[in-house]
């Protein structure tokens, strides 16, 4: 787990041995349960640490993360990036949402057994959750490593943010064209022009670029559209506004 400590140290974040043990125990349990339900394609422990823990923590030192009080992770899967960030930032409340109930139940069980009290796992589709009063425009920060085009992912995530909040999307190295194509969708949904950041850390190969979008206006009430529509008819293709 020295790589986890290293990535955090380079961002001026100190973690305790107990926090690292919690992450290690989480990994052990996810890999054990992965034999029963598909949680991750990454089964080697070294790869798990690099591609799930280190990768999730690439944004940990960002001011938007440090100052957040309430964070949502949309399409969290097996709990990434939400769980590593929540273990590091014990004073921040995290809501981890996923559309597969089995995954959500596993995250809930592990958070209880490993005593990660600042995480609330939630089952549901982003399009439906974002219309619920307790979630809509109720977060300072939204993070997502979900596999979706940026225009679709923006429609999933921006409705959760307060005006002034930030959406951080984890994207592959060749994401520039995708981000450019999503500019109109982001604008419609109340976001600022996207800023692409390439993590630069010593001895840490990065898996993702980080795309930052600030919420500058309220999202129109018509968004997100009904479940399934954002992925079938992305905004710049559909032409709706």
């Amino acid at each position: 787990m020295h790589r986890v400590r290293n990535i955090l140290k380079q961002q001026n974040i100190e973690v305790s041995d107990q926090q690292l043990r919690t992450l290690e125990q989480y990994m052990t349990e996810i890999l054990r349960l992965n034999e029963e339900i598909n949680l991750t394609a990454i089964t080697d422990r070294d790869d798990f640490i690099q591609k799930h823990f280190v990768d999730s923590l690439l944004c940990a030192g960002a001011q938007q993360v440090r100052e957040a009080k309430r964070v949502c992770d949309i399409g969290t899967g097996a709990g990434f990036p939400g769980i590593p960030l929540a273990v590091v930032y014990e004073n921040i409340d995290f809501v981890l949402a996923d559309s597969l109930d089995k995954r959500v139940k596993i995250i809930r069980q592990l958070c209880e057994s490993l005593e990660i009290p600042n995480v609330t796992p939630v089952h549901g589709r982003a399009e439906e959750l974002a219309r619920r009063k307790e979630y809509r425009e109720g977060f300072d920060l939204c993070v997502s490593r979900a596999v979706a085009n940026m225009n679709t992912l923006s429609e999933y995530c921006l409705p959760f943010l307060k005006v002034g909040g930030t959406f951080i999307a984890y994207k592959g190295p060749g994401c520039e064209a995708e981000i450019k194509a999503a500019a109109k969708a982001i604008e419609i949904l109340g976001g600022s022009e996207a800023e692409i950041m390439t993590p630069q850390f010593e001895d840490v190969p990065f898996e993702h670029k980080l795309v930052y979008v600030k919420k500058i206006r309220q999202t129109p009430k018509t968004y997100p559209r009904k479940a399934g529509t954002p992925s079938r008819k992305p905004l710049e293709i559909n032409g709706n506004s």
Side-chain angles (χ1 to χ4, degrees), residues 74-208:
I74 302 303
T76 190
F80 305 107
I83 290 295
L85 289 169
V87 170
V88 170
Y89 285 105
E90 298 171 332
N91 61 323
I92 299 176
D93 291 326
F94 285 79
V95 171
L96 273 55
D98 198 84
S99 60
L100 187 62
D101 193 34
K102 288 182 179 179
R103 284 195 291 250
V104 171
K105 287 179 178 176
I106 286 171
I107 295 171
R108 183 177 296 115
Q109 291 167 0
L110 292 182
C111 286
E112 290 174 357
S113 64
L114 298 178
E115 297 182 351
I116 309 174
N118 57 326
V119 170
T120 302
V122 175
H123 170 235
R125 296 183 66 118
E127 303 99 314
E128 296 162 350
L129 294 173
R131 291 194 170 277
R132 287 167 55 173
K133 185 177 180 181
E134 65 266 40
Y135 300 129
R136 188 175 184 87
E137 300 194 325
F139 294 86
D140 307 296
L141 179 69
C142 180
V143 292
S144 184
R145 293 204 316 173
V147 180
N149 283 333
M150 190 65 184
N151 48 4
T152 299
L153 199 58
S154 296
E155 189 168 354
Y156 290 158
C157 294
L158 283 171
F160 287 93
L161 286 171
K162 301 174 181 177
V163 174
T166 302
F167 168 37
I168 302 178
Y170 292 63
K171 283 291 174 183
C175 65
E176 287 80 5
E178 176 188 336
I179 304 308
K180 184 177 180 180
K184 183 61 178 178
I186 292 170
E187 180 185 355
I188 289 169
L189 295 161
S192 66
E193 183 177 352
E195 183 179 2
I196 303 172
M197 305 289 288
T198 302
Q200 300 286 344
F201 297 110
E202 185 179 346
D203 298 325
V204 180
F206 64 87
E207 299 294 330
H208 284 109

Side-chain angles (χ1 to χ4, degrees), residues 1-24 49-50 53-55 57-58 60-61 66 84 87-88 201-204:
M1 298 295 286
H2 67 278
R3 280 176 289 170
V4 175
R5 193 185 293 277
N6 177 40
I7 187 70
L8 292 171
K9 187 175 182 180
Q10 291 187 58
Q11 299 176 81
N12 297 313
I13 301 170
E14 295 294 330
V15 287
S16 67
D17 291 342
Q18 179 56 53
Q19 285 170 301
L20 294 179
R21 280 195 294 270
T22 297
L23 286 175
E24 189 164 16
I49 291 169
Q50 179 63 44
F53 289 160
V54 173
D55 189 63
L57 293 168
L58 292 175
R66 292 178 184 271
V87 170
V88 170
F201 297 110
E202 185 179 346
D203 298 325
V204 180

Side-chain angles (χ1 to χ4, degrees), residues 3 27 31 34 40-52:
R3 280 176 289 170
M27 172 177 63
L31 292 176
N34 199 55
T40 176
I42 300 167
T43 56
D44 178 81
R45 291 177 73 91
D46 285 342
D47 284 347
F48 192 107
I49 291 169
Q50 179 63 44
K51 296 181 179 180
H52 282 325

